[in-house]
Amino acid sequence: MNSPAPRAATIVRASAARSPSTAIAPGPARFVVLLAVLVCAACGLVYELALAALGGTLGGDPVVETSIVLSVMVFAMGVGALVAKPFVRRAAPAFLAAEILLAACGGMCATVLFAGFAWYDVYRWPMIAVAAVLGLLIGAEIPLLMTLVQRIRPQEAGSAVADLFAADYVGALVGGLLFPFLLLPHLGQLRTVVLAGMVNAIAGTLVVLWLFRADLPGRLRVGMYAAVGAVLALLAGTWLYTPAFERAARDALYDGDVVSAQGDVVVTHTAAGPEMYVAGERRVAAAGASESAQALVHPAMAGRHERVLVLGGGDGLALREVLRYAAVRDVVVVVAHVGETASARTDPALRALAGDAFADPRVRVVGADAFAWVRATAERFDVVVADLPGPAVGAAARLYTQEFYGLTRTVLRPAGRIVVRAPAPDAHPRAFWCAEAGLRAAGLRTLPYRITVGPADRGFLLAALVLAPGAVLRPADDAPDPAVVPFLAADRLAPASLFPPHEARVEMPPSTLNNPRIADYARE
């Protein structure tokens, strides 16, 4: 109920005759209907935002998924308003039927889509179908509500439209603010739409079965009560079952047994060892986790390394490698939420894998967005380790832009180095070299390198303010023994900066905030 353009053209002029069927005086009755408009608009926007948010989580590209959801829903709203025209003669029962269907479809939409993704690995087409159905039902509301408002107290068409749209827009504002600041943080995506569905059903019942109950014959009225009761029972059962459903869906999605799930962080135990997922991306794989962390950290430690900044790295593996150096005096770990480190602190298997790194007194954990923290800090570091989510995940693409690397450059001491965990150069060569181009565009000199872990390559980018031409990877003077850190062995370290022909440099433009092209490259 919050996208006016398609629906404004389909407003139906209602009869000017006052209906004697309202249960209360015209003034209060009209207020109740306009209040229902506000509530339904808020619920409609919650459905839209929930679908868009779920699309960004499951589909991977928030811009694409949001565009699809909004465009399909707005188009369907226009169609729904046209479809509602034949029903304005029986506006009251038609409106309640629409609200019952909308409550059921809207309240169950996130659960159904999540189930399809978890068990059948399908999302895009079901999302489009759900958005179309919701749009049709939301679009049908305005013509029907206009008819009901005019029946209570006739007024000029322009004045009626103004009142109706004013309530509609206020409701959209309420729903738009409640969703990100109250509903989503406290209820999650699944229960948020369930609650919206319940409210939707109650609002429709209040308008029709109280104000316009005389418009419904006895049997129809009983049927409507039964339908509303069935929908509310369905949504109540879904609300109660949501925690069990989420556990079952996680078990279907992830390898091994899910042992903990805190926000976006899920930890599983497999036969090979623990694994960690952040926002659906596997950040710690039992096979190769240690080798990847070694390759990320140790080349950057060749030089002064008293102060180290770790961006991301809530699993503690990169931190474990940093702390192998006795010269390290201070390590700042910046994670989006401090809770991201909870699993590495408490899960016995992860804690052992990370060497209990977060218990080291040299470590300070800061819960903040990496971009905002680097932009605001006055601290300076010898080494910056960017152990961040891949650029294809949500808004993480901005952490691989020329602007972010330029900000990171400002926190480096004159001889400082930054190392970036980049997309795999074999699977995503354009994304890998795009990240490298961003570092160069920020005024840094780069030394790309790679390692092979299992069947795939892992890509890394070492960059510094000053880097001699022809520089090669080398261990620090106080580096751990290769027996402890196998990556530092000469036969492993030296070849890492050599790329096979199929991974050779590709000249790419840098990714920027205005054009985060690396996200598209990483999804190729």
Side-chain angles (χ1 to χ4, degrees):
M1 282 189 59
N2 41 12
S3 298
R7 293 179 291 173
T10 62
I11 299 291
V12 179
R13 288 191 176 185
S15 168
R18 178 178 300 177
S19 170
S21 61
T22 53
I24 58 177
R30 190 168 178 277
F31 173 80
V32 170
V33 173
L34 291 177
L35 180 62
V37 173
L38 186 153
V39 170
C40 291
C43 294
L45 192 62
V46 167
Y47 300 144
E48 290 183 31
L49 294 175
L51 285 181
L54 195 62
T57 301
L58 305 183
D61 187 342
V63 175
V64 171
E65 303 304 327
T66 300
S67 298
I68 291 174
V69 167
L70 295 185
S71 58
V72 170
M73 287 193 76
V74 169
F75 171 75
M77 286 175 192
V79 176
L82 290 173
V83 170
K85 290 174 67 174
F87 299 98
V88 295
R89 295 181 181 275
R90 301 199 66 188
F95 174 71
L96 181 54
E99 293 309 291
I100 292 172
L101 290 174
L102 186 57
C105 296
M108 295 298 298
C109 67
T111 301
V112 170
L113 291 175
F114 200 86
F117 179 81
W119 278 280
Y120 302 103
D121 195 23
V122 293
Y123 177 76
R124 175 68 58 77
W125 289 109
M127 178 193 71
I128 292 174
V130 168
V133 170
L134 293 179
L136 282 169
L137 295 170
I138 292 171
E141 289 175 327
I142 284 288
L144 300 174
L145 283 167
M146 174 65 76
T147 302
L148 296 178
V149 167
Q150 289 287 67
R151 285 181 54 191
I152 293 171
R153 189 174 69 193
Q155 61 187 128
E156 293 293 328
S159 178
V161 169
D163 290 344
L164 206 66
F165 277 175
D168 188 54
Y169 294 155
V170 172
L173 174 66
V174 171
L177 294 178
L178 287 178
F179 179 78
F181 297 114
L182 181 64
L183 298 177
L184 192 59
H186 291 89
L187 299 181
Q189 292 175 336
L190 303 187
R191 278 184 166 174
T192 289
V193 293
V194 170
L195 178 62
M198 291 178 174
V199 172
N200 227 154
I202 292 170
T205 303
L206 180 67
V207 169
V208 177
L209 295 179
W210 178 33
L211 295 183
F212 296 95
R213 59 178 178 268
D215 288 11
L216 278 68
R219 289 185 179 178
L220 181 58
R221 192 184 311 166
V222 172
M224 288 293 188
Y225 273 119
V228 170
V231 168
L232 289 176
L234 171 67
L235 296 178
T238 303
W239 177 285
L240 295 174
Y241 183 68
T242 292
F245 171 81
E246 288 182 317
R247 287 193 296 270
R250 280 196 296 265
D251 289 339
L253 274 173
Y254 300 110
D255 295 332
D257 299 323
V258 176
V259 295
S260 70
Q262 302 182 40
D264 289 340
V265 181
V266 176
V267 177
T268 69
H269 286 178
T270 70
E275 297 190 348
M276 176 187 285
Y277 297 79
V278 179
E281 179 191 20
R282 184 158 62 179
R283 301 302 311 282
V284 176
S290 294
E291 188 170 359
S292 183
Q294 292 171 16
L296 173 67
V297 171
H298 291 285
M301 302 298 281
R304 183 180 178 185
H305 45 255
E306 293 180 359
R307 300 204 73 223
V308 179
L309 170 65
V310 179
L311 301 174
D315 50 57
L317 299 187
L319 179 60
R320 177 198 64 191
E321 300 304 318
V322 169
L323 295 175
R324 292 188 189 276
Y325 293 82
V328 171
R329 294 189 297 103
D330 180 32
V331 186
V332 178
V333 180
V334 177
V335 291
H337 304 286
V338 175
E340 290 182 20
T341 67
S343 297
R345 295 175 186 269
T346 58
D347 182 80
L350 269 179
R351 187 175 176 181
L353 188 63
D356 206 12
F358 287 105
D360 194 292
R362 294 173 288 176
V363 177
R364 173 164 51 102
V365 178
V366 178
D369 172 70
F371 196 106
W373 191 89
V374 170
R375 185 179 187 181
T377 189
E379 298 188 57
R380 297 295 178 264
F381 300 89
D382 302 304
V383 180
V384 175
V385 178
D387 188 14
L388 297 163
V393 179
R398 67 185 185 135
L399 303 177
Y400 292 80
T401 59
Q402 177 182 342
E403 291 87 351
F404 179 68
Y405 294 141
L407 291 172
T408 306
R409 174 185 173 179
T410 65
V411 306
L412 289 175
R413 286 174 171 170
R417 288 86 59 207
I418 173 174
V419 65
V420 174
R421 184 191 297 274
D426 57 344
H428 306 286
R430 297 214 296 172
F432 178 82
W433 294 110
C434 180
E436 192 266 347
L439 288 164
R440 287 190 287 110
L444 294 162
R445 297 182 180 273
T446 63
L447 177 55
Y449 62 103
R450 46 167 287 284
I451 63 169
T452 301
V453 178
D457 278 6
R458 308 284 177 91
F460 307 92
L461 298 165
L462 178 63
L465 297 169
V466 179
L467 196 64
V472 296
L473 299 179
R474 63 181 181 86
D477 294 338
D478 58 342
D481 191 288
V484 178
V485 181
F487 176 73
L488 291 175
D491 61 341
R492 301 289 300 281
L493 187 62
S497 57
L498 303 177
F499 286 77
H502 68 281
E503 297 179 16
R505 176 185 295 275
V506 179
E507 289 299 330
M508 300 296 299
S511 190
T512 65
L513 290 177
N514 182 55
N515 188 353
R517 52 177 62 87
I518 193 171
D520 294 328
Y521 299 154
R523 284 189 288 267
E524 290 177 343

